[in-house]
């Protein structure tokens, strides 16, 4: 199948399931549900759930239903972080994915609540899965996602972004790793654990996730170069230097998945290049 067709098929599966998740579980509170749906069902790229599903499939070529709830949960966590990140007390953004941010449309308190709802729903979905068989890998995946979303990852990175004076590129990288990289890495690792990867392959996926996360964020910075008001690699690097770093991280990420033995990685390879070379 052509890469873009394959990607669209994977996206459709995520879209359908996000849609179902937000219909069934929250039907007793339709206004809050409308806000959550506005925030989630609006054209996100669905990178993290696709990475999770794909990594799972690399290690366990069977029914992907086992990994799907985790993929949906990680996308909900990502969407909560975007709603909260856009709030006036954080980045104060009016637009997200080409439409008004949640607080701009529904008010600040409702933005906070919609984000809280998505985060809790994510954990509720995962917790439900833990009752099923092969629990050990599921608990590990749960732990990885929760850790990456919390103080050691996204929330901690956001705190440093807001509160710390960033003086060097090394400090910026550390913040990027927590704020953006940790959840991307968690998607990859959760998929690998759920798929039953061995320790040596987990280490390779850890490296892959870390380098992909950094290359993705630096590419994102390049798409938003010299905006002036935000933490961005343009504070420390020339565009050429940044491009070189994107190339370095991409190369290491791709080498890591090529070092997996006897695994079908062609979609993940193409998806990695697609993410790193994207123009939007
Ligand atoms: C508020 C707890 C809390 C954390 C916020 C992730 C984050 C931390 C803020 C998002 C702001 C931002 C621009 C971060 C850089 C990472 C990034 C490029 C996020 C956007 O991810 P995409 O491109 O978005 O996957 P879509 O819209 O496709 O889902």
């Amino acid at each position: 199948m052509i890469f873009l067709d394959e990607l669209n098929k994977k996206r459709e599966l995520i879209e359908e399931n996000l849609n179902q998740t937000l219909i069934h579980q929250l039907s007793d509170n339709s206004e809050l549900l409308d806000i959550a749906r506005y925030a989630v069902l609006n054209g996100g790229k669905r990178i993290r759930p696709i990475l999770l599903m794909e990594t799972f499939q690399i290690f366990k070529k069977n029914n992907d239903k086992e990994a799907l709830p985790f993929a949906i949960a990680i996308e909900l966590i990502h969407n909560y972080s975007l709603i909260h990140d856009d709030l006036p007390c954080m980045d104060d953004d009016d637009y997200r994915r080409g439409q008004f941010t949640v607080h701009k449309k529904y008010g600040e308190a409702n933005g906070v609540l919609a984000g809280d709802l998505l985060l809790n729903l994510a954990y509720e979905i995962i917790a439900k899965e833990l009752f099923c068989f092969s629990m050990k890998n599921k608990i590990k995946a749960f732990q990885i996602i929760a850790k990456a979303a919390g103080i050691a990852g996204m929330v901690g990175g956001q705190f440093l972004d807001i509160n710390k004076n960033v003086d060097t590129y090394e400090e910026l990288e550390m913040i990027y790793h927590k704020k953006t990289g940790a959840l991307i890495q968690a998607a990859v690792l959760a998929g690998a654990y759920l798929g039953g990867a061995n320790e040596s392959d987990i280490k390779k996926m850890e490296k892959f996730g870390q380098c992909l996360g950094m290359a993705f964020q630096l590419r994102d910075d390049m798409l938003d170069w010299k905006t002036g008001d935000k933490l961005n690699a343009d504070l420390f690097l020339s565009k050429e230097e940044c491009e070189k770093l994107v190339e370095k991280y991409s190369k290491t990420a791709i080498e890591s998945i090529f070092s997996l033995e006897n695994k079908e990685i062609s979609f993940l390879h193409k998806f990695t290049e697609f993410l790193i070379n994207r123009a939007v």
Side-chain angles (χ1 to χ4, degrees), residues 63-168:
N63 193 343
D64 50 15
K65 289 227 162 57
E66 234 178 295
L68 193 53
F70 289 83
I72 295 302
I74 209 163
E75 183 63 16
L76 295 179
I77 293 172
H78 168 61
N79 280 266
Y80 123 76
S81 83
L82 297 181
I83 302 173
H84 282 194
D85 186 64
D86 291 334
L87 287 169
C89 61
M90 298 224 187
D91 254 16
D92 196 8
D93 278 315
D94 289 350
Y95 292 93
R96 163 78 55 192
R97 297 175 177 161
Q99 63 178 26
F100 275 136
T101 46
V102 175
H103 68 270
K104 198 79 190 154
K105 189 165 166 77
Y106 294 102
E108 219 173 309
N110 288 334
V112 172
L113 289 173
D116 291 345
L117 171 157
L118 294 176
L119 177 63
N120 284 289
L121 179 58
Y123 290 130
E124 200 184 319
I125 291 171
I126 295 180
K128 219 160 109 190
E129 285 305 298
L130 300 182
F131 289 109
C132 309
F133 58 95
S134 64
M135 233 171 73
K136 200 170 147 217
N137 287 344
K138 289 183 175 175
I139 291 174
K140 190 73 199 167
F142 186 7
Q143 185 192 14
I144 282 169
I145 292 171
K147 188 172 175 192
I151 191 165
M154 197 171 64
V155 170
Q158 180 77 348
F159 178 84
L160 295 174
D161 181 342
I162 291 171
N163 292 288
K164 198 175 176 335
N165 286 331
V166 183
D167 297 321
T168 62

Side-chain angles (χ1 to χ4, degrees), residues 229-247:
D229 59 339
K230 287 186 184 162
L231 195 60
N232 188 300
D234 64 23
L235 295 169
F236 305 103
L237 303 173
S238 69
K239 215 164 184 177
E240 291 70 30
E241 286 168 329
C242 196
E243 183 67 52
K244 280 212 173 78
L245 281 173
V246 172
E247 280 165 24

Side-chain angles (χ1 to χ4, degrees), residues 3 6-14 44-57 71-72 74-75 187-188 267-268 271 274-275:
F3 169 70
E6 210 175 337
L7 179 59
N8 283 335
K9 225 174 124 208
K10 289 173 195 290
R11 264 196 199 129
E12 273 166 27
L13 178 71
I14 301 299
K45 293 187 285 299
R46 314 308 184 201
I47 290 166
R48 294 149 192 84
I50 292 174
L51 280 171
L52 192 152
M53 299 289 286
E54 192 54 30
T55 313
F56 172 77
Q57 266 161 4
I72 295 302
I74 209 163
E75 183 63 16
V188 165
F267 179 84
L268 190 59
F271 190 46
F274 172 81
L275 292 177

